[in-house]
């Protein structure tokens, strides 16, 4: 095991420890200030639960990452870590989106203002010369012009942030899917020996462990249960999106040409992104506003089909792994366009089958 792998593990462990220290403090703060996510007709939970769990994500990740990077500099015999323009813009972007999420959790921020902030922080990437410049054969497209890539980058990043936010509907779901995606990204950057990103990813993965513990197994009567809120989901979505765009941008000075970049990026976030596409299409078919919240996400439908929250969580995680296995198995045999087309067919078949189970229970597949 290399020294850099050990440093990454150290970042993971330190972040987890920070999370286990911070989350109980956040729970106490929420109890004193009465900051709860109150149930309504659209939500799954029945009782008020503290919603500031995501506040612990960024500080824990930063503390772990900074300490681990200092350890890296020390073990690298004085080698310095360069700070690129995109790193500065990334720091500004994550700070802005984190603060936006915290303000929304505490005071509430209108959806249009929140979307505007997402567009602003997403626009920082092309401004720092980080943008999608190659689709690696998807739909027969390879290199794309900078302007097209810049617009695509903003759209993709905003879409990913909202996908992670909207899939956060039952205990552990958004954090678990993020953990799967981060694990894949860690493996990719480790394979390319880009250790700075590995340390950053490990620092974020670590804090998700204490959060999942409190979110899934925390006892509400003992003031142990907590939700991540927008401060968590927006932060996770932003970091995931930036890392995926960094991976997708062809830059021979960073890493060699990755022919599977588009496919791997889609695969790692296939469940939350496909779910948002499906929900938008279903709302349009039923002549409903696409931005109006409802109970038609994949977790809502699985619960209507008769599953418990924990069974739903396991089912969605299993579906995510199924797509990963299928896509990796087909990678060397089919073009990326055909593989993603197969994914779409499987996803449609899954929901068609799910709709049948829901109807058998006397319920409707679509509900407001």
């Amino acid at each position: 095991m290399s020294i850099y792998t050990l440093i990454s593990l150290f970042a993971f462990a330190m972040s987890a420890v920070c999370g286990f220290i911070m989350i109980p403090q956040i729970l106490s703060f929420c109890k004193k200030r009465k900051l709860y996510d109150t149930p309504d007709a659209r939500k799954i939970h029945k009782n008020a639960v503290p919603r500031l769990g995501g506040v612990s994500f960024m500080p824990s990740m930063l503390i772990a990452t900074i300490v681990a990077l200092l350890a890296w500099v020390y073990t690298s015999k004085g080698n310095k870590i360069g700070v690129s323009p995109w790193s500065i813009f990334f720091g500004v972007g994550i700070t802005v989106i984190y603060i936006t999420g915290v303000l929304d959790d505490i005071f509430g921020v209108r959806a249009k203002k929140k979307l505007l902030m997402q567009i602003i922080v997403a626009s920082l990437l092309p401004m720092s010369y980080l943008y999608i410049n190659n689709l690696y054969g998807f739909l027969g497209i390879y290199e794309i012009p900078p302007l097209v890539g810049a617009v695509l980058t903003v759209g993709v990043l905003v879409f990913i942030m909202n996908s992670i936010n909207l899939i956060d509907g039952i205990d552990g779901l958004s954090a678990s899917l993020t953990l799967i995606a981060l694990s894949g990204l860690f493996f990719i950057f480790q394979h390319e020996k880009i250790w700075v990103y590995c340390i950053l990813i490990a620092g974020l993965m670590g804090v998700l462990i204490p959060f999942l513990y409190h979110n899934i197994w925390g006892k509400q009567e003992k003031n142990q249960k907590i939700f991540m809120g927008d401060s968590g989901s927006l932060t996770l979505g932003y970091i995931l999106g930036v890392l995926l765009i960094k991976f997708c941008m062809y830059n021979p000075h960073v890493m060699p040409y990755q022919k599977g970049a588009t496919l791997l990026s889609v695969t790692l976030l296939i469940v939350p992104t496909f779910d948002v596409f499906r929900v938008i299409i279903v709302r349009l078919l039923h002549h409903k506003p696409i931005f109006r919240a409802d109970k038609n996400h994949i977790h809502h439908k699985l619960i209507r089909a008769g599953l418990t929250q924990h069974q739903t969580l396991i089912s969605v995680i299993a579906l995510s792994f199924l797509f990963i296995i299928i896509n990796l198995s087909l990678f060397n045999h089919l073009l990326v366009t055909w593989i993603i087309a197969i994914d779409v067919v499987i996803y449609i078949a899954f929901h068609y089958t799910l709709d049948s189970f829901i109807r058998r229970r006397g319920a409707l597949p679509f509900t407001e």
Side-chain angles (χ1 to χ4, degrees):
M1 186 181 293
S2 70
I3 184 65
Y4 304 116
T5 302
L6 288 173
I7 291 174
S8 298
L9 290 173
F10 171 72
F12 176 89
M14 174 167 282
S15 179
V17 170
C18 289
F20 276 116
I21 293 172
M22 290 184 64
I23 290 177
Q25 303 302 317
I26 294 171
L27 282 164
S28 297
F29 176 81
C30 289
K31 186 177 180 179
K32 291 177 182 177
R33 302 285 182 173
K34 301 187 184 304
L35 298 173
Y36 296 109
D37 189 322
T38 53
D40 57 32
R42 186 180 61 86
K43 295 176 181 178
I44 302 295
H45 63 285
K46 303 301 180 183
N47 300 301
V49 177
R51 61 174 182 262
L52 291 177
V55 170
S56 66
F57 292 177
M58 186 170 162
S60 298
M61 180 192 70
L62 287 179
I63 291 170
T65 300
I66 291 171
V67 173
L69 288 176
L70 290 175
W72 183 22
V73 171
Y74 178 79
T75 56
S76 300
K77 299 179 181 180
N79 291 339
K80 295 183 179 180
I81 299 173
V83 179
S84 61
W86 91 266
S87 300
I88 297 173
F89 279 86
F90 169 72
V92 173
I94 191 175
T95 301
V96 171
I97 204 67
Y98 174 76
I99 293 173
T100 300
V102 173
L103 291 175
D104 186 38
D105 290 336
I106 297 176
F107 304 108
V109 177
R110 288 191 174 184
K112 290 183 179 179
K113 290 183 179 180
K114 197 160 46 175
L115 179 61
L116 176 62
M117 297 309 297
Q118 290 174 334
I119 294 172
I120 290 173
V121 297
S123 301
L124 294 176
L125 266 65
M127 291 172 60
S128 64
Y129 303 102
L130 176 62
Y131 57 91
I132 299 170
N133 60 358
N134 200 311
L135 294 186
Y136 302 90
F138 178 61
L139 299 176
I141 303 171
Y142 289 87
E143 291 186 26
I144 55 178
L147 180 59
V148 175
V151 174
L152 180 62
T153 297
V154 174
V156 166
L157 185 50
V158 170
F159 188 78
I160 290 175
M161 280 189 279
N162 282 287
S163 297
I164 298 300
N165 179 256
L166 293 172
I167 204 72
D168 184 32
I170 62 170
D171 295 344
L173 185 54
S174 183
S176 296
L177 293 176
T178 299
L179 201 55
I180 292 170
L182 289 172
S183 299
L185 285 167
F186 182 88
F187 176 80
I188 290 167
F189 289 121
Q190 183 188 45
H191 181 264
E192 299 300 329
K193 294 180 170 51
I194 307 178
W195 296 106
V196 172
Y197 301 156
C198 290
I199 292 170
L200 176 69
I201 293 167
L204 182 57
M205 290 174 67
V207 72
L208 293 179
I209 303 304
F211 171 76
L212 283 169
Y213 170 77
H214 282 277
N215 183 230
I216 298 176
W217 293 286
K219 303 296 183 182
Q220 188 172 345
E221 60 273 14
K222 295 182 179 180
N223 196 38
Q224 295 175 338
K225 191 174 187 63
I226 197 167
F227 294 157
M228 69 168 65
D230 278 15
S231 58
S233 59
L234 291 178
T235 300
L236 293 179
Y238 182 75
I239 295 172
L240 272 176
V242 170
L243 289 171
L244 284 171
I245 291 166
K246 187 70 175 177
F247 173 56
C248 286
M249 181 179 181
Y250 173 55
N251 184 350
H253 300 293
V254 177
M255 67 177 76
Y257 184 84
Q258 304 286 335
K259 68 174 185 177
T262 299
L263 179 62
L264 287 171
S265 299
V266 171
T267 302
L268 290 175
L269 286 177
I270 198 165
V271 172
T273 53
F274 273 28
D275 190 57
V276 172
F277 274 122
R278 182 193 59 80
V279 167
I280 289 173
I281 292 170
V282 168
R283 288 174 184 171
L284 289 173
L285 291 174
H286 286 83
H287 307 289
K288 303 296 182 182
I290 61 173
F291 294 109
R292 179 183 294 175
D294 57 29
K295 299 182 72 172
N296 292 294
H297 290 280
I298 185 172
H299 47 279
H300 294 127
K301 292 181 66 177
L302 285 165
I303 289 174
R304 283 207 298 280
L307 274 61
T308 65
Q309 276 204 54
H310 286 184
Q311 289 170 341
T312 297
L313 173 63
I314 294 170
S315 298
V316 178
I317 291 174
L319 182 64
S320 179
F321 277 117
L322 176 64
F323 278 117
I324 291 171
I325 293 169
I326 290 172
N327 288 7
L328 291 179
S329 300
L330 296 176
F331 177 61
N332 291 318
H333 304 285
L334 293 175
L335 296 174
V336 58
T337 305
W338 285 110
I339 296 174
I340 295 177
I342 290 171
D343 291 337
V344 172
V345 171
I346 293 172
Y347 199 73
I348 292 172
F350 172 82
H351 277 278
Y352 181 81
T353 305
L354 185 57
D355 289 349
S356 299
F357 279 102
I358 293 172
R359 288 191 182 98
R360 287 179 189 176
R361 290 174 53 85
L364 295 173
F366 178 84
T367 184
E368 294 189 48

